[in-house]
């Protein structure tokens, strides 16, 4: 089955700096890679996703890059703000709504003033 | 759009009792719903995949007789924790995917905090 590794487990940045979280996956068949943000005591919220037919996707301050050959993908947050502080999870799976996702272990991001 | 609700948000029960958690897709029809559990400071662990009108598919190590899943309609799935014990205390989260071609996104509910005394 799929195995997703995520690094770092904790990340502390100054407000305004950039944050990068990296994930690797094991199953070359995986072609769908979402990123979720989870605040304490709440369910995860999708922030961005990428499919394997593209190498990069951007949405305002958030971007995701995908390297299919190396089987890794990364989340980039620019101009970080205190409200970006949360746990971020990457996931990997197959396109198609009925297909399950395998989640990474999470990254606790703290944006300090 | 794409809102998923869960009820209750928090439940405390005595050991040996059963607890039912509801997951609803409020503004879309969900052909597939997923149930996860999450322990403190850990990742989401998939428990089962539920398709409307059919039996749920459980992940390895998840007892199907203990965690009963029913997906009776396109907007409602329920998880019943039977004969709950303290080790079942956890954060249970559901997700749902719209029944649209090419729609991969899982929309998550807000979670249910279960505490078994």
């Amino acid at each position: 089955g799929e195995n997703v590794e995520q690094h770092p487990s904790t990340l502390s940045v100054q407000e305004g700096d950039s944050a990068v979280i990296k994930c690797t996956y094991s199953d070359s068949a995986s072609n769908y890679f979402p990123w979720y943000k989870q605040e304490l005591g709440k369910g995860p919220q999708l922030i961005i996703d990428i499919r394997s037919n593209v190498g990069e996707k951007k949405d305002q301050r958030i971007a995701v890059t995908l390297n299919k050959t190396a089987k890794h993908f990364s989340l980039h947050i620019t101009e970080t703000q205190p409200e970006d502080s949360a746990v971020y999870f990457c996931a990997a799976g197959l396109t198609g709504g009925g297909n399950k996702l395998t989640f990474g272990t999470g990254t606790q991001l703290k944006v300090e003033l | 759009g794409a809102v998923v609700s869960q009820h209750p948000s928090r439940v405390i029960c005595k050991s040996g009792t059963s607890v039912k958690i509801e997951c609803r897709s409020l503004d879309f029809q969900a052909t597939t719903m997923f149930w996860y559990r999450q322990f403190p400071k850990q990742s989401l662990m998939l428990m089962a995949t539920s398709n409307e009108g059919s039996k749920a598919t459980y992940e390895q190590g998840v007892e199907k007789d203990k965690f009963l899943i029913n997906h009776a309609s396109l907007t409602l799935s329920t998880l019943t924790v039977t004969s709950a014990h303290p080790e079942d205390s956890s954060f249970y989260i559901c997700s749902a995917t719209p029944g649209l071609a090419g729609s991969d996104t899982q929309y998550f509910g807000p979670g249910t905090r279960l505490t078994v005394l």
Side-chain angles (χ1 to χ4, degrees):
Chain A
E2 176 65 276
N3 182 52
V4 178
E5 295 188 357
Q6 183 172 346
H7 298 281
S9 57
T10 60
L11 179 59
S12 185
V13 299
Q14 293 294 118
E15 183 180 9
D17 287 349
S18 295
V20 180
I21 302 171
K22 298 182 179 181
C23 289
T24 60
Y25 61 99
S26 61
D27 189 348
S28 57
S30 291
N31 57 6
Y32 176 60
F33 308 94
W35 285 88
Y36 287 88
K37 174 184 180 182
Q38 186 179 28
E39 298 178 343
L40 190 63
K42 298 184 179 181
Q45 279 192 306
L46 179 74
I47 55 172
I48 196 167
D49 58 11
I50 191 168
R51 291 165 181 79
S52 61
N53 56 344
V54 296
E56 185 173 356
K57 183 177 179 180
K58 189 174 182 180
D59 182 3
Q60 299 183 338
R61 297 186 297 110
I62 295 173
V64 57
T65 58
L66 171 65
N67 183 325
K68 285 177 57 181
T69 303
K71 289 190 280 190
H72 63 69
F73 56 113
S74 301
L75 177 71
H76 304 253
I77 306 174
T78 59
E79 300 172 32
T80 54
Q81 302 166 3
E83 51 266 38
D84 294 330
S85 297
V87 178
Y88 291 80
F89 291 98
C90 63
L94 297 173
T95 54
N99 293 311
K100 62 183 182 181
L101 296 172
T102 301
F103 282 82
T105 48
T107 296
Q108 175 75 62
L109 173 65
K110 183 177 181 182
V111 180
E112 298 176 333
L113 296 172
Chain B
V3 178
V4 177
S5 70
Q6 278 184 245
H7 178 80
S9 58
R10 186 180 294 267
V11 57
I12 301 173
C13 69
K14 292 182 179 180
S15 186
T17 60
S18 294
V19 174
K20 180 184 282 189
I21 302 169
E22 292 186 349
C23 176
R24 293 181 185 273
S25 55
L26 298 185
D27 52 2
F28 66 97
Q29 293 187 327
T31 53
T32 305
M33 289 183 169
F34 302 87
W35 286 96
Y36 297 83
R37 64 188 298 181
Q38 186 179 36
F39 292 108
K41 297 185 186 291
Q42 293 190 21
S43 188
L44 291 84
M45 298 301 297
L46 180 66
M47 300 175 67
T49 302
S50 167
N51 289 296
E52 184 264 338
S54 61
K55 290 184 178 180
T57 301
Y58 290 81
E59 293 300 299
Q60 192 172 9
V62 178
E63 299 176 58
K64 61 180 180 181
D65 294 330
K66 180 168 183 63
F67 299 100
L68 301 178
I69 292 172
N70 184 282
H71 192 162
S73 78
L74 286 172
T75 59
L76 173 65
S77 177
T78 60
L79 168 67
T80 301
V81 183
T82 62
S83 186
H85 291 284
E87 57 266 30
D88 299 322
S89 298
S90 189
F91 194 50
Y92 291 86
I93 317 173
C94 70
S95 70
T97 58
L100 301 172
S103 176
D104 315 296
T105 305
Q106 286 190 30
Y107 298 97
F108 282 83
T112 296
R113 173 76 58 193
L114 170 63
T115 302
V116 185
L117 302 177

